[in-house]
Amino acid sequence: MPTFNDILIMVPEFYLVAAACVLLLADAFLPDNQRVTTIHWASIFVLVVCIYLVVAHQPDGAVKAFNGMFIRDGVAEILKVFALLSTVLVFIYAKPYLSDRKLFIGEFYTLMIFAVIGVMLLVSAGNLIMIYLGLELLTLSSYALVALNRDSKLSSEAAIKYFVLGALASGMLLYGMSMVYGATGTLDLMQLHEAIPYSAMPHLLVFGLIFMIIGIAFKLGAAPFHMWIPDVYQGSPTAVTVFIGSAPKLAAFGMAFRLLATGMGDMAHQWQLMLAVLAVLSLAVGNLVAIVQTNLKRLLAYSTISHMGYLLLGLVNAGPEGYSSAMFYAISYALMSTAAFGVILALSRAGFECEEIDDFKGLNQRSPWMAFLMMLCLFSLAGVPPLFGFFAKLLVLQAAIHAGMMWLAIVGAVFAIIGLYYYLHVVKVMYFDKPVEGTAVRLQPDFTLRVALSVNALVLLVLGVYWGPLLGWCKQAFAG
């Protein structure tokens, strides 16, 4: 029977569920000329209040609710704050894009808020069932968001691919969980950790672990389970792509940490090697295939695959240093990805998606500020000092070295140099090429978008110089 204390621990989640229901009702009953604008600003307000609830009422240590199914600790707090923050940015960036394409509807906001609730449940999961419930809430909402533009064949195709492959990955994750449960007799992650050394069926545990890692790799978008990412990134409305590239990556890191570190920590010597192989494959596939892309959304999709390889370098460490560096990397990637797709949204207009690399030719001549912001994002993604992405890469490489995997760090460094090529190619196109006729770029007049995007991109420079407090926050989360 749930107690009052259980409900208090989950106040941010309950608040967000209630707010999403109110927004659904408002969408049904408000007059047409007020409905969407009201829901837009109300959704942003709801998320900002939720950030306050997460931060202001965070207990000093880890606390549990509903018999350990839900954990509220420092790890969950950081991931929730940045997932909510990135979603606020998505709402701001998406408004003019959706308005131009007649997709400015209430479902976009409510589906995204339900997806964020899934993220929050996933990163706070203390039980295998809670992990699965959080994951399904996130992915089911995401499938619907990808298919938001029902008149687009590309969106429908992307949604079907995402749904089929996502269902397959969820099935594998569930199958792995069932084997682990069969070998240990518990669904609680802490009890699972204690039961593993005494299990009479170690081979069943290893099989369960392999299937769970396949599920994690799919959600992260790590190779060879990456095939959905390029099609979904390109086929989705860009306003949805920017969300898929940010908050769900934080959720995937949270899921990997809960399953592997909290639940299967005693089998670290086995999953470390599996993650190292996935990291190398992701770095190779992501960086090499991105070189030949001509569509910027597909280029950023393959770039995502390579970035998930770097995130795995941190997890391979299997210690507080590795977990904190991987979390730092996930946060940096969420902010960088949001800003990069934000520039694409800022330059798109009705009938013009601005997603081909050729569309960016001569951007500096027409909008020097947007070219500068995009250059900051691309250099940060490439890991050029002193930007945020450089220190994130440095930390995961250090974590791999300290885990005794120097060879893996060298592979990471080599592919970072290879990855520079395609980012520099886009910068060269913006600053040194002449514009293509018929692809004139016009900046979105939305003032809020321009201010938020400028702040988002400049933060990459500020955090590149002053990254200590954020890293300290990440380290503190794993110190206990």
Side-chain angles (χ1 to χ4, degrees):
M1 188 71 184
T3 64
F4 182 65
N5 193 48
D6 290 338
I7 295 168
L8 277 182
I9 290 171
M10 288 190 69
V11 161
E13 286 76 16
F14 283 126
Y15 158 76
L16 214 49
V17 170
C21 293
V22 171
L23 288 170
L24 275 173
L25 290 173
D27 187 38
F29 292 105
L30 280 174
D32 288 346
N33 59 344
Q34 299 174 8
R35 187 176 66 238
V36 184
T37 304
T38 305
I39 290 175
H40 170 74
W41 289 109
S43 301
I44 292 174
F45 177 76
V46 161
L47 294 183
V48 171
V49 171
C50 194
I51 292 174
Y52 169 77
L53 290 175
V54 170
V55 175
H57 297 283
Q58 180 67 24
D60 293 334
V63 291
K64 295 181 179 179
F66 297 96
N67 297 318
M69 288 191 75
F70 185 90
I71 301 173
R72 192 169 178 185
D73 59 7
V75 176
E77 179 195 21
I78 298 173
L79 293 173
K80 285 175 191 177
V81 166
F82 282 97
L84 290 162
L85 187 61
S86 60
T87 310
V88 170
L89 291 173
V90 172
F91 285 167
I92 293 171
Y93 298 162
K95 182 174 179 286
Y97 179 92
L98 297 173
S99 298
D100 287 346
R101 288 154 186 79
K102 303 187 188 312
L103 296 173
F104 195 31
I105 52 178
E107 288 89 335
F108 173 80
Y109 295 92
T110 47
L111 280 170
M112 214 163 272
I113 288 176
F114 278 119
V116 173
I117 296 168
V119 172
M120 294 173 71
L121 293 178
L122 193 52
V123 301
S124 277
N127 185 291
L128 294 177
I129 291 177
M130 183 60 83
I131 285 179
Y132 194 71
L133 289 177
L135 183 64
E136 287 305 296
L137 185 55
L138 168 62
T139 50
L140 288 174
S141 304
S142 301
Y143 300 150
L145 282 166
V146 171
L148 194 69
N149 187 1
R150 289 175 294 182
D151 297 328
S152 165
K153 288 182 180 176
L154 207 57
S155 282
S156 303
E157 184 184 333
I160 290 171
K161 282 183 182 175
Y162 193 19
F163 175 72
V164 172
L165 294 174
L168 184 65
S170 295
M172 288 191 177
L173 181 68
L174 197 58
Y175 189 50
M177 287 177 175
S178 67
M179 282 195 269
V180 170
Y181 174 70
T184 59
T186 179
L187 293 170
D188 187 276
L189 291 175
M190 294 300 291
Q191 292 175 15
L192 182 62
H193 190 280
E194 293 166 3
I196 283 175
Y198 307 104
S199 173
M201 292 175 278
H203 297 300
L204 190 61
L205 269 175
V206 173
F207 274 110
L209 176 65
I210 291 170
F211 278 99
M212 288 202 299
I213 286 181
I214 290 173
I216 292 169
F218 181 88
K219 297 307 173 189
L220 280 170
F225 308 102
H226 65 283
M227 60 291 288
W228 61 277
I229 285 197
D231 292 336
V232 170
Y233 272 45
Q234 187 182 12
S236 308
T238 309
V240 176
T241 309
V242 65
F243 174 75
I244 292 174
S246 53
K249 301 305 176 200
L250 296 167
F253 165 76
M255 180 176 76
F257 171 72
R258 296 294 181 199
L259 277 175
L260 299 179
T262 308
M264 311 290 280
D266 270 2
M267 298 179 72
H269 60 288
Q270 288 166 310
W271 54 255
Q272 275 178 304
L273 190 58
M274 297 181 204
L275 295 190
V277 172
L278 289 174
V280 172
L281 289 173
S282 302
L283 291 169
V285 171
N287 283 307
L288 295 178
V289 182
I291 290 173
V292 296
Q293 300 303 314
T294 57
N295 181 288
L296 188 57
K297 284 169 75 176
R298 286 187 80 85
L299 184 149
L300 290 174
Y302 281 103
S303 152
T304 299
I305 296 164
S306 72
H307 282 285
M308 292 306 105
Y310 286 107
L311 190 148
L312 289 171
L313 290 189
L315 285 172
V316 161
N317 182 283
E321 181 196 4
Y323 301 141
S324 57
S325 63
M327 179 192 273
F328 188 82
Y329 200 93
I331 293 167
S332 75
Y333 178 73
L335 292 177
M336 293 186 295
S337 169
T338 308
F341 281 108
V343 174
I344 297 176
L345 286 171
L347 298 175
S348 298
R349 60 178 185 275
F352 179 64
E353 292 294 329
C354 194
E355 61 182 46
E356 297 295 328
I357 294 177
D358 283 352
D359 297 337
F360 285 76
K361 283 186 173 179
L363 179 62
N364 182 54
Q365 298 169 26
R366 291 167 292 175
S367 179
W369 183 242
M370 277 297 131
F372 173 70
L373 295 181
M374 192 58 167
M375 184 181 69
L376 278 182
C377 299
L378 294 172
F379 278 172
S380 188
L381 285 165
V384 174
L387 291 159
F388 195 16
F390 168 74
F391 290 101
K393 274 193 174 63
L394 187 65
L395 288 171
V396 292
L397 292 176
Q398 279 180 347
I401 293 170
H402 293 164
M405 294 192 180
M406 175 65 84
W407 66 272
L408 191 55
I410 293 172
V411 170
V414 168
F415 278 110
I417 295 167
I418 293 172
L420 263 175
Y421 173 79
Y422 55 85
Y423 293 118
L424 286 176
H425 173 65
V426 180
V427 174
K428 172 249 176 192
V429 162
M430 290 192 301
Y431 280 86
F432 299 106
D433 286 7
K434 291 182 179 176
V436 176
E437 288 185 16
T439 59
V441 169
R442 285 204 304 268
L443 189 59
Q444 283 286 353
D446 191 298
F447 178 73
T448 313
L449 181 155
R450 294 161 72 166
V451 171
L453 181 58
S454 301
V455 172
N456 188 176
L458 291 174
V459 159
L460 303 179
L461 183 59
V462 173
L463 286 176
V465 178
Y466 194 61
W467 48 282
L470 179 58
L471 180 61
W473 194 16
C474 292
K475 284 183 174 177
Q476 188 183 358
F478 296 100

